[in-house]
Amino acid sequence: QVQLVESGGGVVQPGGSLRLSCAASGFTFSSYGMHWVRQAPGKGLEWVAFIRNDGSDKYYADSVKGRFTISRDDSKNTLDLQMNSLRPDDTAVYFCARDNPVCAHWGQGTLVTVSS
Amino acid sequence: TVMTQSPATLSVSPGERVTLSCRASQSVRNNLAWYQQKPGQAPRLLIYEASARATGIPDRFSGSGSGTEFTLTISSLQSEDFAVYFCQHNEGWPWSFGQGTKVEIK
C-alpha cells in the first residue's frame, strides 16, 4: 500500500534553514508528481509546492517562492523540501502527498517550529 | 484563486443530510476536490473533479458543481463523519484550499 513518511522537522530560529524529506513506498515513485502541503497549528491547509514526476516542472505558493525548493531523488524514492530564510509564520505541520488524482495519498506530517 | 467555504461550522445530528458549500473567486471549471480531516490525522481525499469519489469513499458522500460554485453533500451523517472538510482547486498554479467547514455534533 502507499506509504509516505516525512522527517526532518524540528525547531529552528528565524532566518534559519531546514530540509524536510519524504520517504515513499508501495508505488512506482517515478510515475507520480508530488506535493508539499502545510498546516499551521489550529489552522487550515495551505498548498506549498509541487514537482512533476520527471522533475521537469516545479510550482510554489507565493508565500514560499524564492525561499523554498522542492526536489526529488527517484533512485531513493524520496521527496525533499529545502526551506531557507524561515519565518515564524512558516511554523506548521508539513505533509507530503502523492498526486493523481490531486493529493490522493498523504503522509502523517512533520512539525516545523520557527522560533527564537 | 481564493476559495471560500460556508458555513464555518455546522452543528448536525447523526442521520441528517448535510450540505457544505465552496465558492471560487474565478472559474476553476470542474477542477475541485474535497478532503476530510479528523483531529491529529492527515487529510483524506473524498472527491476530485468536482463529483468523482476517491477510492474507498462511501456513496453517502457526493460532490456537485462547476465553475465557481460547488457543493459537498453527505446524505446521512454517520458518527465517523464529524470532522473538518476542505475544498481545494487544481485549476492552474498555485493551488489553494478553502478555510474549512467543521461539522460538529448537535
Side-chain angles (χ1 to χ4, degrees):
Chain A
Q1 72 281 17
V2 175
Q3 190 167 11
L4 299 167
V5 179
E6 302 91 339
S7 61
V11 180
V12 60
Q13 292 188 339
S17 298
L18 207 59
R19 189 177 186 89
L20 305 183
S21 289
C22 170
S25 61
F27 64 99
T28 303
F29 182 69
S30 59
S31 295
Y32 290 88
M34 297 293 295
H35 301 265
W36 286 100
V37 177
R38 68 184 181 183
Q39 187 168 36
K43 302 297 185 182
L45 300 170
E46 180 183 17
W47 176 85
V48 173
F50 170 78
I51 184 168
R52 289 204 188 279
N53 64 308
D54 60 1
S56 60
D57 292 303
K58 304 175 185 181
Y59 302 95
Y60 299 92
D62 290 344
S63 59
V64 307
K65 200 174 294 183
R67 300 188 299 123
F68 289 13
T69 302
I70 189 171
S71 62
R72 64 189 297 154
D73 186 339
D74 290 351
S75 69
K76 297 180 180 178
N77 288 355
T78 57
L79 173 74
D80 288 343
L81 185 69
Q82 176 66 42
M83 305 186 295
N84 299 331
S85 303
L86 282 161
R87 310 187 299 224
D89 62 356
D90 294 317
T91 294
V93 173
Y94 284 73
F95 297 97
C96 65
R98 195 196 81 174
D99 195 49
N100 195 12
V102 289
C103 296
H105 297 275
W106 298 65
Q108 284 305 301
T110 187
L111 176 62
V112 172
T113 303
V114 184
S115 173
S116 55
Chain B
T1 303
V2 178
M3 309 301 294
T4 303
Q5 293 185 240
S6 61
T9 304
L10 202 52
S11 298
V12 297
S13 300
E16 284 188 19
R17 182 183 181 88
V18 172
T19 300
L20 310 181
S21 295
C22 175
R23 174 176 292 178
S25 61
Q26 59 186 326
S27 176
V28 297
R29 298 189 293 169
N30 72 329
N31 294 307
L32 191 287
W34 291 93
Y35 301 84
Q36 175 194 69
Q37 188 179 32
K38 298 179 182 178
Q41 295 185 17
R44 178 174 70 145
L45 176 66
L46 300 175
I47 301 287
Y48 62 97
E49 293 176 0
S51 61
R53 267 188 300 277
T55 303
I57 301 304
D59 59 8
R60 64 179 181 273
F61 292 92
S62 63
S64 63
S66 66
T68 62
E69 301 283 345
F70 300 89
T71 299
L72 175 69
T73 300
I74 310 173
S75 60
S76 177
L77 200 71
Q78 304 298 300
S79 57
E80 61 267 30
D81 301 335
F82 291 98
V84 181
Y85 293 83
F86 296 94
C87 63
Q88 176 206 41
H89 87 82
N90 58 304
E91 172 69 9
W93 304 98
W95 292 7
S96 57
F97 289 89
Q99 80 279 20
T101 292
K102 182 179 181 180
V103 176
E104 63 178 24
I105 301 174
K106 189 172 184 180

CSV table of all heavy atoms in Angstrom, one decimal, chain B residues 13-15 36 38 60 76-83 85 103 105:
chain,number,residue,atom,x,y,z
B,13,SER,N,-27.1,16.5,13.7
B,13,SER,CA,-27.4,15.3,14.4
B,13,SER,C,-27.1,14.1,13.4
B,13,SER,O,-27.3,14.2,12.2
B,13,SER,CB,-28.8,15.2,14.8
B,13,SER,OG,-29.1,16.3,15.7
B,14,PRO,N,-26.6,13.0,14.0
B,14,PRO,CA,-26.4,11.8,13.2
B,14,PRO,C,-27.7,11.5,12.4
B,14,PRO,O,-28.8,11.6,12.9
B,14,PRO,CB,-26.1,10.7,14.2
B,14,PRO,CG,-25.5,11.5,15.3
B,14,PRO,CD,-26.2,12.8,15.4
B,15,GLY,N,-27.5,11.1,11.1
B,15,GLY,CA,-28.6,10.7,10.3
B,15,GLY,C,-29.1,11.9,9.4
B,15,GLY,O,-29.9,11.6,8.4
B,36,GLN,N,-11.4,15.4,3.8
B,36,GLN,CA,-11.9,15.3,5.2
B,36,GLN,C,-10.7,15.2,6.1
B,36,GLN,O,-9.7,14.5,5.8
B,36,GLN,CB,-12.8,14.0,5.4
B,36,GLN,CG,-13.3,13.7,6.8
B,36,GLN,CD,-13.8,12.3,6.9
B,36,GLN,OE1,-13.0,11.3,6.8
B,36,GLN,NE2,-15.1,12.2,7.1
B,38,LYS,N,-9.7,14.7,10.3
B,38,LYS,CA,-10.1,14.5,11.7
B,38,LYS,C,-8.9,14.9,12.6
B,38,LYS,O,-7.7,14.9,12.1
B,38,LYS,CB,-10.4,13.0,12.0
B,38,LYS,CG,-11.6,12.6,11.2
B,38,LYS,CD,-12.0,11.1,11.4
B,38,LYS,CE,-13.2,10.7,10.6
B,38,LYS,NZ,-13.5,9.3,10.7
B,60,ARG,N,-22.4,7.7,0.4
B,60,ARG,CA,-23.2,8.8,1.0
B,60,ARG,C,-22.5,10.2,0.8
B,60,ARG,O,-23.2,11.2,1.0
B,60,ARG,CB,-23.4,8.6,2.5
B,60,ARG,CG,-22.1,8.6,3.3
B,60,ARG,CD,-22.4,8.3,4.8
B,60,ARG,NE,-21.2,8.3,5.7
B,60,ARG,CZ,-20.5,7.3,5.9
B,60,ARG,NH1,-20.8,6.1,5.4
B,60,ARG,NH2,-19.4,7.3,6.7
B,76,SER,N,-26.5,11.0,4.8
B,76,SER,CA,-27.0,10.6,6.1
B,76,SER,C,-25.8,10.6,7.0
B,76,SER,O,-25.0,9.6,6.9
B,76,SER,CB,-27.7,9.3,6.1
B,76,SER,OG,-28.1,8.9,7.4
B,77,LEU,N,-25.6,11.6,7.8
B,77,LEU,CA,-24.3,11.7,8.6
B,77,LEU,C,-24.1,10.6,9.5
B,77,LEU,O,-25.0,10.3,10.3
B,77,LEU,CB,-24.4,13.1,9.3
B,77,LEU,CG,-23.0,13.6,9.7
B,77,LEU,CD1,-22.2,14.1,8.5
B,77,LEU,CD2,-23.2,14.8,10.7
B,78,GLN,N,-23.0,10.0,9.5
B,78,GLN,CA,-22.6,8.9,10.4
B,78,GLN,C,-21.7,9.5,11.5
B,78,GLN,O,-21.1,10.6,11.3
B,78,GLN,CB,-21.9,7.8,9.7
B,78,GLN,CG,-22.7,7.2,8.5
B,78,GLN,CD,-24.0,6.6,9.0
B,78,GLN,OE1,-24.0,5.7,9.8
B,78,GLN,NE2,-25.1,7.1,8.5
B,79,SER,N,-21.5,8.8,12.6
B,79,SER,CA,-20.7,9.3,13.7
B,79,SER,C,-19.2,9.6,13.3
B,79,SER,O,-18.6,10.5,13.7
B,79,SER,CB,-20.7,8.3,14.9
B,79,SER,OG,-20.3,7.1,14.5
B,80,GLU,N,-18.8,8.8,12.3
B,80,GLU,CA,-17.4,8.9,11.9
B,80,GLU,C,-17.2,10.1,10.9
B,80,GLU,O,-16.1,10.4,10.5
B,80,GLU,CB,-16.9,7.6,11.2
B,80,GLU,CG,-17.6,7.2,10.0
B,80,GLU,CD,-18.7,6.2,10.3
B,80,GLU,OE1,-19.3,6.3,11.4
B,80,GLU,OE2,-19.0,5.3,9.5
B,81,ASP,N,-18.3,10.7,10.6
B,81,ASP,CA,-18.2,11.9,9.6
B,81,ASP,C,-18.0,13.2,10.3
B,81,ASP,O,-17.8,14.2,9.6
B,81,ASP,CB,-19.4,11.9,8.7
B,81,ASP,CG,-19.7,10.6,7.9
B,81,ASP,OD1,-18.7,9.9,7.7
B,81,ASP,OD2,-20.8,10.4,7.6
B,82,PHE,N,-18.0,13.2,11.6
B,82,PHE,CA,-17.8,14.5,12.3
B,82,PHE,C,-16.3,14.8,12.1
B,82,PHE,O,-15.4,14.1,12.6
B,82,PHE,CB,-18.2,14.4,13.7
B,82,PHE,CG,-19.7,14.4,13.9
B,82,PHE,CD1,-20.3,13.1,14.1
B,82,PHE,CD2,-20.5,15.5,13.8
B,82,PHE,CE1,-21.7,13.1,14.2
B,82,PHE,CE2,-21.9,15.4,13.9
B,82,PHE,CZ,-22.5,14.2,14.1
B,83,ALA,N,-16.0,16.0,11.5
B,83,ALA,CA,-14.6,16.3,11.0
B,83,ALA,C,-14.6,17.7,10.4
B,83,ALA,O,-15.7,18.3,10.4
B,83,ALA,CB,-14.2,15.3,10.0
B,85,TYR,N,-13.9,19.7,6.8
B,85,TYR,CA,-13.9,19.4,5.4
B,85,TYR,C,-13.3,20.6,4.7
B,85,TYR,O,-13.7,21.8,4.9
B,85,TYR,CB,-15.4,19.2,4.9
B,85,TYR,CG,-15.9,17.9,5.5
B,85,TYR,CD1,-16.4,17.8,6.8
B,85,TYR,CD2,-15.8,16.7,4.8
B,85,TYR,CE1,-16.9,16.6,7.3
B,85,TYR,CE2,-16.2,15.5,5.3
B,85,TYR,CZ,-16.8,15.5,6.5
B,85,TYR,OH,-17.2,14.3,7.1
B,103,VAL,N,-17.8,20.1,10.9
B,103,VAL,CA,-19.1,19.5,11.1
B,103,VAL,C,-19.0,18.9,12.5
B,103,VAL,O,-18.3,18.0,12.7
B,103,VAL,CB,-19.4,18.4,10.0
B,103,VAL,CG1,-20.7,17.7,10.3
B,103,VAL,CG2,-19.4,19.1,8.6
B,105,ILE,N,-21.1,17.7,16.3
B,105,ILE,CA,-22.3,17.1,16.8
B,105,ILE,C,-23.2,18.1,17.5
B,105,ILE,O,-22.8,18.9,18.3
B,105,ILE,CB,-22.0,16.0,17.8
B,105,ILE,CG1,-21.1,14.9,17.2
B,105,ILE,CG2,-23.3,15.3,18.4
B,105,ILE,CD1,-20.6,13.9,18.2
